[in-house]
Amino acid sequence: MPPLDVVLTAWRIDWAALALILSAALLYSLGLKSAKAQGHHWPRHRSVAFYLLGLGSFAALTCGFPGVYSADLRWAFTLKVSLLFFIVPLLVGLGRPVSLARAALSASQVTWLDAVLSHRLVRFVTNSLAAPLVGLALFSLFLTPAFHTLRANPVAEAILTVLVPLLGLLMALPVIEEGNFHRSSAFITLELIFVFMELLIDAIPGILLRLNGQVLDNVMAVQSGATWYPNALRDQQLAGDLLWFICEIVDLPLIILMFMRLARSDRREAKGFDDLSDEQLDELNAHHLRRVR
């Protein structure tokens, strides 16, 4: 493993990451200003979470040690990409960007936002049914020679830097901001089943990286003479260890959040039934029986 001073002092400017950070910070700041002008009091802790935890962790991963050494070390690249996909979106989501947008936009703009969120493609990506497929597709590339291209090609690295956290955010927001993504209890139950599937599926690429006895990207040369650099096979094994561990450990809080989301959905639906009059309840039952027939 690298010495502590190397980890703490490694730093570079990732221009793609910097552009995304500045854009996100500006949009969130404009949202805060607009929400305040419309009389909405936005909690300070959400702003701190967005800027410090969300954008701060993104900057540390892309401009700090994982970003600096991602082209040379498989395990550093794997650490960066997996945390950009799983952790950074959750931390950014603590700032509730969709809720802030609703507070900041006008009525017509909120209607447009709802139309975007209800689009078929967005609805597919923002549910837990897609998460195992997206994660498996992304991390399966690590089992091919494309693993080296993704690390070493600046264009590929820039695309991943922008695309991976955005995909992760689309999948994390419905869990964190469930009020903006309406789901029935039955649908959430189905999503919960797929989250358990994700617990197993996401780990497959990491297990294969760890247990394989040959270097899968066919790049055997070590890029540095530093004594702490692992050889190519050990580097791949460390990447597999990290990917396996991160995929397993991150799904546990997601499962807890899904159970909490299901409980809140059940309470909302039960309250909705309690608020119905006897005539409305009879009409609803009759409509359901007609549909069953």
Side-chain angles (χ1 to χ4, degrees), residues 244-281:
W244 187 356
F245 173 77
I246 292 171
C247 287
E248 294 292 354
I249 205 69
V250 167
D251 282 330
L252 297 179
L254 284 178
I255 291 173
I256 295 173
L257 288 173
M258 289 294 294
F259 272 116
M260 295 172 60
R261 185 183 175 198
L262 179 61
R264 287 193 291 266
S265 177
D266 281 338
R267 286 198 296 269
R268 283 197 304 269
E269 292 184 2
K271 186 178 184 304
F273 285 122
D274 290 340
D275 292 340
L276 294 176
S277 64
D278 291 340
E279 292 78 9
Q280 290 173 321
L281 190 58

PDB file of all heavy atoms in Angstrom, residues 244-281:
ATOM      1  N   TRP A 244     -15.407  -5.919  -4.728  1.00  0.00           N
ATOM      2  CA  TRP A 244     -16.224  -6.898  -4.016  1.00  0.00           C
ATOM      3  C   TRP A 244     -16.715  -6.318  -2.692  1.00  0.00           C
ATOM      4  O   TRP A 244     -17.902  -6.360  -2.370  1.00  0.00           O
ATOM      5  CB  TRP A 244     -15.390  -8.151  -3.803  1.00  0.00           C
ATOM      6  CG  TRP A 244     -16.116  -9.339  -3.237  1.00  0.00           C
ATOM      7  CD1 TRP A 244     -17.422  -9.390  -2.822  1.00  0.00           C
ATOM      8  CD2 TRP A 244     -15.569 -10.646  -3.030  1.00  0.00           C
ATOM      9  NE1 TRP A 244     -17.724 -10.639  -2.368  1.00  0.00           N
ATOM     10  CE2 TRP A 244     -16.611 -11.434  -2.488  1.00  0.00           C
ATOM     11  CE3 TRP A 244     -14.317 -11.215  -3.258  1.00  0.00           C
ATOM     12  CZ2 TRP A 244     -16.405 -12.774  -2.166  1.00  0.00           C
ATOM     13  CZ3 TRP A 244     -14.130 -12.536  -2.940  1.00  0.00           C
ATOM     14  CH2 TRP A 244     -15.155 -13.321  -2.402  1.00  0.00           C
ATOM     15  N   PHE A 245     -15.800  -5.750  -1.926  1.00  0.00           N
ATOM     16  CA  PHE A 245     -16.157  -5.196  -0.618  1.00  0.00           C
ATOM     17  C   PHE A 245     -17.134  -4.028  -0.741  1.00  0.00           C
ATOM     18  O   PHE A 245     -18.154  -3.969  -0.036  1.00  0.00           O
ATOM     19  CB  PHE A 245     -14.887  -4.741   0.105  1.00  0.00           C
ATOM     20  CG  PHE A 245     -15.148  -4.001   1.390  1.00  0.00           C
ATOM     21  CD1 PHE A 245     -15.504  -4.685   2.537  1.00  0.00           C
ATOM     22  CD2 PHE A 245     -15.045  -2.618   1.447  1.00  0.00           C
ATOM     23  CE1 PHE A 245     -15.750  -4.011   3.723  1.00  0.00           C
ATOM     24  CE2 PHE A 245     -15.288  -1.932   2.623  1.00  0.00           C
ATOM     25  CZ  PHE A 245     -15.649  -2.635   3.763  1.00  0.00           C
ATOM     26  N   ILE A 246     -16.845  -3.081  -1.642  1.00  0.00           N
ATOM     27  CA  ILE A 246     -17.685  -1.883  -1.773  1.00  0.00           C
ATOM     28  C   ILE A 246     -19.088  -2.255  -2.238  1.00  0.00           C
ATOM     29  O   ILE A 246     -20.090  -1.743  -1.715  1.00  0.00           O
ATOM     30  CB  ILE A 246     -17.024  -0.869  -2.727  1.00  0.00           C
ATOM     31  CG1 ILE A 246     -15.759  -0.309  -2.096  1.00  0.00           C
ATOM     32  CG2 ILE A 246     -17.985   0.276  -3.055  1.00  0.00           C
ATOM     33  CD1 ILE A 246     -14.913   0.534  -3.039  1.00  0.00           C
ATOM     34  N   CYS A 247     -19.184  -3.155  -3.227  1.00  0.00           N
ATOM     35  CA  CYS A 247     -20.500  -3.553  -3.733  1.00  0.00           C
ATOM     36  C   CYS A 247     -21.338  -4.222  -2.650  1.00  0.00           C
ATOM     37  O   CYS A 247     -22.559  -4.026  -2.592  1.00  0.00           O
ATOM     38  CB  CYS A 247     -20.332  -4.495  -4.929  1.00  0.00           C
ATOM     39  SG  CYS A 247     -19.761  -3.675  -6.434  1.00  0.00           S
ATOM     40  N   GLU A 248     -20.712  -5.003  -1.803  1.00  0.00           N
ATOM     41  CA  GLU A 248     -21.463  -5.686  -0.747  1.00  0.00           C
ATOM     42  C   GLU A 248     -21.854  -4.728   0.379  1.00  0.00           C
ATOM     43  O   GLU A 248     -22.986  -4.728   0.846  1.00  0.00           O
ATOM     44  CB  GLU A 248     -20.627  -6.838  -0.174  1.00  0.00           C
ATOM     45  CG  GLU A 248     -20.360  -7.974  -1.139  1.00  0.00           C
ATOM     46  CD  GLU A 248     -21.607  -8.766  -1.488  1.00  0.00           C
ATOM     47  OE1 GLU A 248     -22.674  -8.511  -0.905  1.00  0.00           O
ATOM     48  OE2 GLU A 248     -21.516  -9.630  -2.374  1.00  0.00           O
ATOM     49  N   ILE A 249     -20.922  -3.875   0.799  1.00  0.00           N
ATOM     50  CA  ILE A 249     -21.172  -3.046   1.970  1.00  0.00           C
ATOM     51  C   ILE A 249     -22.142  -1.911   1.667  1.00  0.00           C
ATOM     52  O   ILE A 249     -22.918  -1.481   2.533  1.00  0.00           O
ATOM     53  CB  ILE A 249     -19.841  -2.496   2.537  1.00  0.00           C
ATOM     54  CG1 ILE A 249     -19.979  -2.180   4.026  1.00  0.00           C
ATOM     55  CG2 ILE A 249     -19.368  -1.289   1.777  1.00  0.00           C
ATOM     56  CD1 ILE A 249     -20.135  -3.371   4.909  1.00  0.00           C
ATOM     57  N   VAL A 250     -22.132  -1.396   0.432  1.00  0.00           N
ATOM     58  CA  VAL A 250     -22.995  -0.266   0.096  1.00  0.00           C
ATOM     59  C   VAL A 250     -24.451  -0.677  -0.001  1.00  0.00           C
ATOM     60  O   VAL A 250     -25.351   0.116   0.287  1.00  0.00           O
ATOM     61  CB  VAL A 250     -22.517   0.380  -1.231  1.00  0.00           C
ATOM     62  CG1 VAL A 250     -23.560   1.334  -1.782  1.00  0.00           C
ATOM     63  CG2 VAL A 250     -21.218   1.133  -1.005  1.00  0.00           C
ATOM     64  N   ASP A 251     -24.713  -1.917  -0.400  1.00  0.00           N
ATOM     65  CA  ASP A 251     -26.095  -2.354  -0.559  1.00  0.00           C
ATOM     66  C   ASP A 251     -26.831  -2.474   0.774  1.00  0.00           C
ATOM     67  O   ASP A 251     -28.069  -2.427   0.810  1.00  0.00           O
ATOM     68  CB  ASP A 251     -26.146  -3.704  -1.286  1.00  0.00           C
ATOM     69  CG  ASP A 251     -25.933  -3.548  -2.776  1.00  0.00           C
ATOM     70  OD1 ASP A 251     -26.312  -2.489  -3.307  1.00  0.00           O
ATOM     71  OD2 ASP A 251     -25.389  -4.466  -3.408  1.00  0.00           O
ATOM     72  N   LEU A 252     -26.099  -2.635   1.878  1.00  0.00           N
ATOM     73  CA  LEU A 252     -26.765  -2.794   3.178  1.00  0.00           C
ATOM     74  C   LEU A 252     -27.549  -1.549   3.590  1.00  0.00           C
ATOM     75  O   LEU A 252     -28.730  -1.654   3.942  1.00  0.00           O
ATOM     76  CB  LEU A 252     -25.736  -3.182   4.240  1.00  0.00           C
ATOM     77  CG  LEU A 252     -25.042  -4.527   4.018  1.00  0.00           C
ATOM     78  CD1 LEU A 252     -24.032  -4.800   5.127  1.00  0.00           C
ATOM     79  CD2 LEU A 252     -26.068  -5.647   3.962  1.00  0.00           C
ATOM     80  N   PRO A 253     -26.953  -0.333   3.566  1.00  0.00           N
ATOM     81  CA  PRO A 253     -27.774   0.844   3.883  1.00  0.00           C
ATOM     82  C   PRO A 253     -28.882   1.075   2.874  1.00  0.00           C
ATOM     83  O   PRO A 253     -29.954   1.595   3.234  1.00  0.00           O
ATOM     84  CB  PRO A 253     -26.758   2.004   3.873  1.00  0.00           C
ATOM     85  CG  PRO A 253     -25.574   1.507   3.150  1.00  0.00           C
ATOM     86  CD  PRO A 253     -25.531   0.036   3.390  1.00  0.00           C
ATOM     87  N   LEU A 254     -28.683   0.686   1.607  1.00  0.00           N
ATOM     88  CA  LEU A 254     -29.750   0.833   0.624  1.00  0.00           C
ATOM     89  C   LEU A 254     -30.942  -0.055   0.983  1.00  0.00           C
ATOM     90  O   LEU A 254     -32.096   0.359   0.834  1.00  0.00           O
ATOM     91  CB  LEU A 254     -29.235   0.468  -0.770  1.00  0.00           C
ATOM     92  CG  LEU A 254     -28.354   1.504  -1.470  1.00  0.00           C
ATOM     93  CD1 LEU A 254     -27.893   0.972  -2.824  1.00  0.00           C
ATOM     94  CD2 LEU A 254     -29.106   2.819  -1.644  1.00  0.00           C
ATOM     95  N   ILE A 255     -30.670  -1.256   1.457  1.00  0.00           N
ATOM     96  CA  ILE A 255     -31.755  -2.145   1.871  1.00  0.00           C
ATOM     97  C   ILE A 255     -32.515  -1.546   3.050  1.00  0.00           C
ATOM     98  O   ILE A 255     -33.746  -1.582   3.107  1.00  0.00           O
ATOM     99  CB  ILE A 255     -31.188  -3.537   2.225  1.00  0.00           C
ATOM    100  CG1 ILE A 255     -30.695  -4.235   0.951  1.00  0.00           C
ATOM    101  CG2 ILE A 255     -32.237  -4.384   2.930  1.00  0.00           C
ATOM    102  CD1 ILE A 255     -29.971  -5.541   1.210  1.00  0.00           C
ATOM    103  N   ILE A 256     -31.786  -0.967   4.010  1.00  0.00           N
ATOM    104  CA  ILE A 256     -32.442  -0.325   5.156  1.00  0.00           C
ATOM    105  C   ILE A 256     -33.308   0.837   4.693  1.00  0.00           C
ATOM    106  O   ILE A 256     -34.464   0.997   5.127  1.00  0.00           O
ATOM    107  CB  ILE A 256     -31.383   0.151   6.169  1.00  0.00           C
ATOM    108  CG1 ILE A 256     -30.635  -1.046   6.760  1.00  0.00           C
ATOM    109  CG2 ILE A 256     -32.028   0.982   7.277  1.00  0.00           C
ATOM    110  CD1 ILE A 256     -29.464  -0.662   7.644  1.00  0.00           C
ATOM    111  N   LEU A 257     -32.772   1.672   3.779  1.00  0.00           N
ATOM    112  CA  LEU A 257     -33.555   2.798   3.250  1.00  0.00           C
ATOM    113  C   LEU A 257     -34.787   2.315   2.501  1.00  0.00           C
ATOM    114  O   LEU A 257     -35.852   2.944   2.575  1.00  0.00           O
ATOM    115  CB  LEU A 257     -32.675   3.648   2.328  1.00  0.00           C
ATOM    116  CG  LEU A 257     -31.592   4.484   2.999  1.00  0.00           C
ATOM    117  CD1 LEU A 257     -30.695   5.137   1.948  1.00  0.00           C
ATOM    118  CD2 LEU A 257     -32.221   5.564   3.887  1.00  0.00           C
ATOM    119  N   MET A 258     -34.668   1.211   1.777  1.00  0.00           N
ATOM    120  CA  MET A 258     -35.819   0.683   1.048  1.00  0.00           C
ATOM    121  C   MET A 258     -36.902   0.193   2.008  1.00  0.00           C
ATOM    122  O   MET A 258     -38.098   0.398   1.769  1.00  0.00           O
ATOM    123  CB  MET A 258     -35.375  -0.454   0.132  1.00  0.00           C
ATOM    124  CG  MET A 258     -34.554  -0.012  -1.070  1.00  0.00           C
ATOM    125  SD  MET A 258     -35.495   0.995  -2.243  1.00  0.00           S
ATOM    126  CE  MET A 258     -36.690  -0.194  -2.835  1.00  0.00           C
ATOM    127  N   PHE A 259     -36.507  -0.446   3.111  1.00  0.00           N
ATOM    128  CA  PHE A 259     -37.488  -0.877   4.115  1.00  0.00           C
ATOM    129  C   PHE A 259     -38.191   0.341   4.730  1.00  0.00           C
ATOM    130  O   PHE A 259     -39.415   0.321   4.944  1.00  0.00           O
ATOM    131  CB  PHE A 259     -36.807  -1.705   5.205  1.00  0.00           C
ATOM    132  CG  PHE A 259     -36.725  -3.169   4.900  1.00  0.00           C
ATOM    133  CD1 PHE A 259     -35.502  -3.798   4.742  1.00  0.00           C
ATOM    134  CD2 PHE A 259     -37.877  -3.935   4.763  1.00  0.00           C
ATOM    135  CE1 PHE A 259     -35.418  -5.150   4.452  1.00  0.00           C
ATOM    136  CE2 PHE A 259     -37.812  -5.293   4.480  1.00  0.00           C
ATOM    137  CZ  PHE A 259     -36.575  -5.902   4.319  1.00  0.00           C
ATOM    138  N   MET A 260     -37.435   1.391   5.023  1.00  0.00           N
ATOM    139  CA  MET A 260     -38.031   2.618   5.563  1.00  0.00           C
ATOM    140  C   MET A 260     -38.980   3.249   4.548  1.00  0.00           C
ATOM    141  O   MET A 260     -40.063   3.730   4.897  1.00  0.00           O
ATOM    142  CB  MET A 260     -36.927   3.599   5.952  1.00  0.00           C
ATOM    143  CG  MET A 260     -36.034   3.131   7.078  1.00  0.00           C
ATOM    144  SD  MET A 260     -34.597   4.213   7.352  1.00  0.00           S
ATOM    145  CE  MET A 260     -35.400   5.760   7.718  1.00  0.00           C
ATOM    146  N   ARG A 261     -38.574   3.238   3.279  1.00  0.00           N
ATOM    147  CA  ARG A 261     -39.415   3.788   2.224  1.00  0.00           C
ATOM    148  C   ARG A 261     -40.704   2.991   2.090  1.00  0.00           C
ATOM    149  O   ARG A 261     -41.788   3.563   1.916  1.00  0.00           O
ATOM    150  CB  ARG A 261     -38.616   3.754   0.916  1.00  0.00           C
ATOM    151  CG  ARG A 261     -39.282   4.399  -0.272  1.00  0.00           C
ATOM    152  CD  ARG A 261     -38.393   4.212  -1.494  1.00  0.00           C
ATOM    153  NE  ARG A 261     -38.995   4.701  -2.694  1.00  0.00           N
ATOM    154  CZ  ARG A 261     -38.605   4.365  -3.908  1.00  0.00           C
ATOM    155  NH1 ARG A 261     -37.593   3.523  -4.056  1.00  0.00           N
ATOM    156  NH2 ARG A 261     -39.203   4.862  -4.975  1.00  0.00           N
ATOM    157  N   LEU A 262     -40.624   1.668   2.187  1.00  0.00           N
ATOM    158  CA  LEU A 262     -41.812   0.821   2.103  1.00  0.00           C
ATOM    159  C   LEU A 262     -42.755   1.090   3.263  1.00  0.00           C
ATOM    160  O   LEU A 262     -43.977   1.158   3.085  1.00  0.00           O
ATOM    161  CB  LEU A 262     -41.393  -0.649   2.079  1.00  0.00           C
ATOM    162  CG  LEU A 262     -42.514  -1.693   2.015  1.00  0.00           C
ATOM    163  CD1 LEU A 262     -43.327  -1.513   0.739  1.00  0.00           C
ATOM    164  CD2 LEU A 262     -41.939  -3.106   2.087  1.00  0.00           C
ATOM    165  N   ALA A 263     -42.202   1.257   4.469  1.00  0.00           N
ATOM    166  CA  ALA A 263     -43.041   1.530   5.639  1.00  0.00           C
ATOM    167  C   ALA A 263     -43.773   2.859   5.495  1.00  0.00           C
ATOM    168  O   ALA A 263     -44.971   2.967   5.806  1.00  0.00           O
ATOM    169  CB  ALA A 263     -42.180   1.532   6.901  1.00  0.00           C
ATOM    170  N   ARG A 264     -43.067   3.894   5.010  1.00  0.00           N
ATOM    171  CA  ARG A 264     -43.718   5.194   4.817  1.00  0.00           C
ATOM    172  C   ARG A 264     -44.793   5.125   3.734  1.00  0.00           C
ATOM    173  O   ARG A 264     -45.857   5.739   3.866  1.00  0.00           O
ATOM    174  CB  ARG A 264     -42.672   6.254   4.472  1.00  0.00           C
ATOM    175  CG  ARG A 264     -41.807   6.673   5.645  1.00  0.00           C
ATOM    176  CD  ARG A 264     -41.016   7.924   5.319  1.00  0.00           C
ATOM    177  NE  ARG A 264     -39.992   7.680   4.321  1.00  0.00           N
ATOM    178  CZ  ARG A 264     -38.723   7.381   4.612  1.00  0.00           C
ATOM    179  NH1 ARG A 264     -38.340   7.292   5.880  1.00  0.00           N
ATOM    180  NH2 ARG A 264     -37.837   7.172   3.656  1.00  0.00           N
ATOM    181  N   SER A 265     -44.524   4.363   2.683  1.00  0.00           N
ATOM    182  CA  SER A 265     -45.522   4.211   1.621  1.00  0.00           C
ATOM    183  C   SER A 265     -46.770   3.505   2.138  1.00  0.00           C
ATOM    184  O   SER A 265     -47.899   3.890   1.808  1.00  0.00           O
ATOM    185  CB  SER A 265     -44.914   3.427   0.454  1.00  0.00           C
ATOM    186  OG  SER A 265     -45.863   3.210  -0.561  1.00  0.00           O
ATOM    187  N   ASP A 266     -46.573   2.486   2.955  1.00  0.00           N
ATOM    188  CA  ASP A 266     -47.722   1.787   3.543  1.00  0.00           C
ATOM    189  C   ASP A 266     -48.549   2.724   4.416  1.00  0.00           C
ATOM    190  O   ASP A 266     -49.787   2.680   4.394  1.00  0.00           O
ATOM    191  CB  ASP A 266     -47.243   0.595   4.377  1.00  0.00           C
ATOM    192  CG  ASP A 266     -46.877  -0.599   3.518  1.00  0.00           C
ATOM    193  OD1 ASP A 266     -47.364  -0.671   2.377  1.00  0.00           O
ATOM    194  OD2 ASP A 266     -46.092  -1.455   3.985  1.00  0.00           O
ATOM    195  N   ARG A 267     -47.862   3.570   5.194  1.00  0.00           N
ATOM    196  CA  ARG A 267     -48.590   4.505   6.059  1.00  0.00           C
ATOM    197  C   ARG A 267     -49.381   5.515   5.225  1.00  0.00           C
ATOM    198  O   ARG A 267     -50.522   5.841   5.560  1.00  0.00           O
ATOM    199  CB  ARG A 267     -47.622   5.232   6.995  1.00  0.00           C
ATOM    200  CG  ARG A 267     -47.084   4.378   8.126  1.00  0.00           C
ATOM    201  CD  ARG A 267     -46.495   5.240   9.234  1.00  0.00           C
ATOM    202  NE  ARG A 267     -45.349   5.989   8.752  1.00  0.00           N
ATOM    203  CZ  ARG A 267     -44.096   5.548   8.821  1.00  0.00           C
ATOM    204  NH1 ARG A 267     -43.849   4.363   9.333  1.00  0.00           N
ATOM    205  NH2 ARG A 267     -43.100   6.292   8.380  1.00  0.00           N
ATOM    206  N   ARG A 268     -48.784   6.005   4.133  1.00  0.00           N
ATOM    207  CA  ARG A 268     -49.489   6.959   3.275  1.00  0.00           C
ATOM    208  C   ARG A 268     -50.720   6.323   2.638  1.00  0.00           C
ATOM    209  O   ARG A 268     -51.795   6.931   2.602  1.00  0.00           O
ATOM    210  CB  ARG A 268     -48.555   7.481   2.185  1.00  0.00           C
ATOM    211  CG  ARG A 268     -47.567   8.519   2.641  1.00  0.00           C
ATOM    212  CD  ARG A 268     -46.982   9.267   1.452  1.00  0.00           C
ATOM    213  NE  ARG A 268     -46.379   8.361   0.487  1.00  0.00           N
ATOM    214  CZ  ARG A 268     -45.108   7.998   0.499  1.00  0.00           C
ATOM    215  NH1 ARG A 268     -44.299   8.461   1.448  1.00  0.00           N
ATOM    216  NH2 ARG A 268     -44.630   7.180  -0.412  1.00  0.00           N
ATOM    217  N   GLU A 269     -50.572   5.109   2.144  1.00  0.00           N
ATOM    218  CA  GLU A 269     -51.699   4.442   1.501  1.00  0.00           C
ATOM    219  C   GLU A 269     -52.796   4.118   2.519  1.00  0.00           C
ATOM    220  O   GLU A 269     -53.983   4.242   2.222  1.00  0.00           O
ATOM    221  CB  GLU A 269     -51.228   3.184   0.788  1.00  0.00           C
ATOM    222  CG  GLU A 269     -50.343   3.472  -0.417  1.00  0.00           C
ATOM    223  CD  GLU A 269     -49.954   2.218  -1.178  1.00  0.00           C
ATOM    224  OE1 GLU A 269     -50.422   1.120  -0.780  1.00  0.00           O
ATOM    225  OE2 GLU A 269     -49.210   2.334  -2.167  1.00  0.00           O
ATOM    226  N   ALA A 270     -52.381   3.703   3.733  1.00  0.00           N
ATOM    227  CA  ALA A 270     -53.384   3.412   4.770  1.00  0.00           C
ATOM    228  C   ALA A 270     -54.145   4.675   5.160  1.00  0.00           C
ATOM    229  O   ALA A 270     -55.367   4.643   5.333  1.00  0.00           O
ATOM    230  CB  ALA A 270     -52.692   2.806   5.993  1.00  0.00           C
ATOM    231  N   LYS A 271     -53.426   5.805   5.272  1.00  0.00           N
ATOM    232  CA  LYS A 271     -54.081   7.070   5.602  1.00  0.00           C
ATOM    233  C   LYS A 271     -55.033   7.487   4.482  1.00  0.00           C
ATOM    234  O   LYS A 271     -56.123   8.012   4.731  1.00  0.00           O
ATOM    235  CB  LYS A 271     -53.047   8.169   5.834  1.00  0.00           C
ATOM    236  CG  LYS A 271     -53.645   9.489   6.315  1.00  0.00           C
ATOM    237  CD  LYS A 271     -52.560  10.516   6.576  1.00  0.00           C
ATOM    238  CE  LYS A 271     -53.159  11.810   7.150  1.00  0.00           C
ATOM    239  NZ  LYS A 271     -54.200  12.378   6.277  1.00  0.00           N
ATOM    240  N   GLY A 272     -54.617   7.225   3.223  1.00  0.00           N
ATOM    241  CA  GLY A 272     -55.489   7.558   2.097  1.00  0.00           C
ATOM    242  C   GLY A 272     -56.786   6.775   2.153  1.00  0.00           C
ATOM    243  O   GLY A 272     -57.868   7.331   1.884  1.00  0.00           O
ATOM    244  N   PHE A 273     -56.731   5.501   2.534  1.00  0.00           N
ATOM    245  CA  PHE A 273     -57.950   4.706   2.666  1.00  0.00           C
ATOM    246  C   PHE A 273     -58.793   5.177   3.853  1.00  0.00           C
ATOM    247  O   PHE A 273     -60.019   5.201   3.790  1.00  0.00           O
ATOM    248  CB  PHE A 273     -57.604   3.220   2.829  1.00  0.00           C
ATOM    249  CG  PHE A 273     -57.169   2.558   1.550  1.00  0.00           C
ATOM    250  CD1 PHE A 273     -55.931   1.950   1.454  1.00  0.00           C
ATOM    251  CD2 PHE A 273     -57.989   2.550   0.435  1.00  0.00           C
ATOM    252  CE1 PHE A 273     -55.522   1.357   0.280  1.00  0.00           C
ATOM    253  CE2 PHE A 273     -57.597   1.949  -0.750  1.00  0.00           C
ATOM    254  CZ  PHE A 273     -56.357   1.342  -0.829  1.00  0.00           C
ATOM    255  N   ASP A 274     -58.132   5.554   4.948  1.00  0.00           N
ATOM    256  CA  ASP A 274     -58.867   6.026   6.122  1.00  0.00           C
ATOM    257  C   ASP A 274     -59.628   7.317   5.839  1.00  0.00           C
ATOM    258  O   ASP A 274     -60.685   7.570   6.436  1.00  0.00           O
ATOM    259  CB  ASP A 274     -57.902   6.251   7.295  1.00  0.00           C
ATOM    260  CG  ASP A 274     -57.347   4.943   7.837  1.00  0.00           C
ATOM    261  OD1 ASP A 274     -57.961   3.891   7.588  1.00  0.00           O
ATOM    262  OD2 ASP A 274     -56.281   4.974   8.487  1.00  0.00           O
ATOM    263  N   ASP A 275     -59.077   8.143   4.946  1.00  0.00           N
ATOM    264  CA  ASP A 275     -59.715   9.420   4.633  1.00  0.00           C
ATOM    265  C   ASP A 275     -60.916   9.282   3.705  1.00  0.00           C
ATOM    266  O   ASP A 275     -61.662  10.243   3.516  1.00  0.00           O
ATOM    267  CB  ASP A 275     -58.694  10.381   3.987  1.00  0.00           C
ATOM    268  CG  ASP A 275     -57.616  10.809   4.968  1.00  0.00           C
ATOM    269  OD1 ASP A 275     -57.852  10.688   6.189  1.00  0.00           O
ATOM    270  OD2 ASP A 275     -56.531  11.231   4.512  1.00  0.00           O
ATOM    271  N   LEU A 276     -61.122   8.104   3.101  1.00  0.00           N
ATOM    272  CA  LEU A 276     -62.250   7.910   2.196  1.00  0.00           C
ATOM    273  C   LEU A 276     -63.545   7.732   2.978  1.00  0.00           C
ATOM    274  O   LEU A 276     -63.564   7.140   4.071  1.00  0.00           O
ATOM    275  CB  LEU A 276     -62.017   6.675   1.319  1.00  0.00           C
ATOM    276  CG  LEU A 276     -60.845   6.733   0.313  1.00  0.00           C
ATOM    277  CD1 LEU A 276     -60.705   5.382  -0.391  1.00  0.00           C
ATOM    278  CD2 LEU A 276     -61.061   7.842  -0.698  1.00  0.00           C
ATOM    279  N   SER A 277     -64.602   8.245   2.419  1.00  0.00           N
ATOM    280  CA  SER A 277     -65.919   8.018   3.018  1.00  0.00           C
ATOM    281  C   SER A 277     -66.380   6.603   2.680  1.00  0.00           C
ATOM    282  O   SER A 277     -65.795   5.916   1.830  1.00  0.00           O
ATOM    283  CB  SER A 277     -66.914   9.033   2.474  1.00  0.00           C
ATOM    284  OG  SER A 277     -67.091   8.854   1.078  1.00  0.00           O
ATOM    285  N   ASP A 278     -67.465   6.147   3.334  1.00  0.00           N
ATOM    286  CA  ASP A 278     -67.977   4.809   3.064  1.00  0.00           C
ATOM    287  C   ASP A 278     -68.404   4.665   1.610  1.00  0.00           C
ATOM    288  O   ASP A 278     -68.182   3.619   0.981  1.00  0.00           O
ATOM    289  CB  ASP A 278     -69.167   4.517   3.989  1.00  0.00           C
ATOM    290  CG  ASP A 278     -68.734   4.383   5.444  1.00  0.00           C
ATOM    291  OD1 ASP A 278     -67.532   4.127   5.682  1.00  0.00           O
ATOM    292  OD2 ASP A 278     -69.589   4.550   6.344  1.00  0.00           O
ATOM    293  N   GLU A 279     -69.028   5.724   1.057  1.00  0.00           N
ATOM    294  CA  GLU A 279     -69.469   5.674  -0.337  1.00  0.00           C
ATOM    295  C   GLU A 279     -68.267   5.581  -1.284  1.00  0.00           C
ATOM    296  O   GLU A 279     -68.287   4.812  -2.248  1.00  0.00           O
ATOM    297  CB  GLU A 279     -70.299   6.917  -0.678  1.00  0.00           C
ATOM    298  CG  GLU A 279     -71.650   6.990   0.039  1.00  0.00           C
ATOM    299  CD  GLU A 279     -71.522   7.445   1.483  1.00  0.00           C
ATOM    300  OE1 GLU A 279     -70.388   7.871   1.867  1.00  0.00           O
ATOM    301  OE2 GLU A 279     -72.499   7.342   2.230  1.00  0.00           O
ATOM    302  N   GLN A 280     -67.218   6.356  -1.011  1.00  0.00           N
ATOM    303  CA  GLN A 280     -66.025   6.316  -1.859  1.00  0.00           C
ATOM    304  C   GLN A 280     -65.330   4.966  -1.771  1.00  0.00           C
ATOM    305  O   GLN A 280     -64.829   4.445  -2.775  1.00  0.00           O
ATOM    306  CB  GLN A 280     -65.055   7.424  -1.448  1.00  0.00           C
ATOM    307  CG  GLN A 280     -65.528   8.827  -1.776  1.00  0.00           C
ATOM    308  CD  GLN A 280     -64.622   9.891  -1.200  1.00  0.00           C
ATOM    309  OE1 GLN A 280     -64.126   9.740  -0.075  1.00  0.00           O
ATOM    310  NE2 GLN A 280     -64.415  10.974  -1.942  1.00  0.00           N
ATOM    311  N   LEU A 281     -65.293   4.382  -0.563  1.00  0.00           N
ATOM    312  CA  LEU A 281     -64.669   3.083  -0.390  1.00  0.00           C
ATOM    313  C   LEU A 281     -65.446   1.998  -1.137  1.00  0.00           C
ATOM    314  O   LEU A 281     -64.852   1.113  -1.772  1.00  0.00           O
ATOM    315  CB  LEU A 281     -64.574   2.742   1.099  1.00  0.00           C
ATOM    316  CG  LEU A 281     -63.724   1.524   1.483  1.00  0.00           C
ATOM    317  CD1 LEU A 281     -62.287   1.708   0.977  1.00  0.00           C
ATOM    318  CD2 LEU A 281     -63.724   1.313   2.988  1.00  0.00           C
TER     319      LEU A 281
END
